[in-house]
Amino acid sequence: MNATRIEGRLASGDLDILDKQHRRILHLVAQIGGIVEKEGVGMEALQINGDSCHALTNDLFETVTLHFRCEEDLLGAFEYPLLGEHRKEHSEFIERLTKFLFTGILKGVDLAGLYAYANDWMCRHKQGPDTDYANFLRGK
Ligand SMILES: [Fe+2]
Ligand SMILES: [Fe+2]
């Protein structure tokens, strides 16, 4: 994440970068929620917003993948004791997100379902496991 980090010491920008990524993810999820609210759900929304839905869900996938990798790299560098559980949560989210997107290739993305799942997961994960590691790292 930060090439200038001194081994074993938290660089001042590390948590800021992760927080910025959190805001970006929540913004993308909120955009999906906005489409659901405005256009309805599932196939109808996809047909109306085909290209923008595709770009949005791809953007979400790429942003989340990058964010998880950054977190896991940083937590690994500090030998965070709960990294295994944290990594497992990330994997479960990627698995569900992938399922939403693959299913969507044939039937149209279930945007309402994706929004409900991603919004709930992100809020819970950020307030729980992500807050736990931030407290751990602040002590470094
Ligand atoms: Fe996070
Ligand atoms: Fe996380």
Side-chain angles (χ1 to χ4, degrees):
M1 240 173 85
N2 186 335
T4 60
R5 185 192 309 124
I6 301 164
E7 195 175 333
R9 291 193 58 188
L10 188 67
S12 60
D14 284 346
L15 287 177
D16 292 342
I17 291 169
L18 294 174
D19 247 1
K20 201 173 166 194
Q21 292 173 342
H22 285 146
R23 286 196 295 275
R24 171 92 182 127
I25 292 167
L26 288 171
H27 173 70
L28 292 170
V29 171
Q31 275 187 278
I32 293 173
I35 293 174
V36 171
E37 200 172 299
K38 189 168 167 245
E39 308 284 5
V41 299
M43 194 60 187
E44 300 82 16
L46 187 77
Q47 283 170 339
I48 293 165
N49 295 283
D51 287 345
S52 59
C53 281
H54 188 66
L56 190 52
T57 50
N58 267 358
D59 200 355
L60 178 65
F61 186 86
E62 281 173 15
T63 307
V64 163
T65 305
L66 171 70
H67 172 65
F68 288 173
R69 198 172 61 232
C70 288
E71 269 188 7
E72 290 169 14
D73 284 353
L74 187 66
L75 297 181
F78 284 91
E79 298 177 351
Y80 182 54
L82 301 177
L83 177 57
E85 289 96 317
H86 204 108
R87 204 190 290 275
K88 196 166 166 244
E89 284 220 9
H90 288 171
S91 299
E92 283 167 5
F93 182 83
I94 291 292
E95 205 174 297
R96 280 292 297 274
L97 181 57
T98 304
K99 225 173 253 179
F100 271 110
L101 301 186
F102 270 126
T103 309
I105 292 172
L106 295 175
K107 299 192 297 187
V109 177
D110 172 12
L111 288 180
L114 173 57
Y115 170 70
Y117 173 71
N119 191 50
D120 181 68
W121 192 94
M122 280 298 166
C123 292
R124 188 197 51 76
H125 183 80
K126 192 168 172 291
Q127 284 164 13
D130 280 6
T131 300
D132 292 342
Y133 82 63
N135 290 335
F136 169 83
L137 290 178
R138 281 194 190 98
K140 296 287 164 185

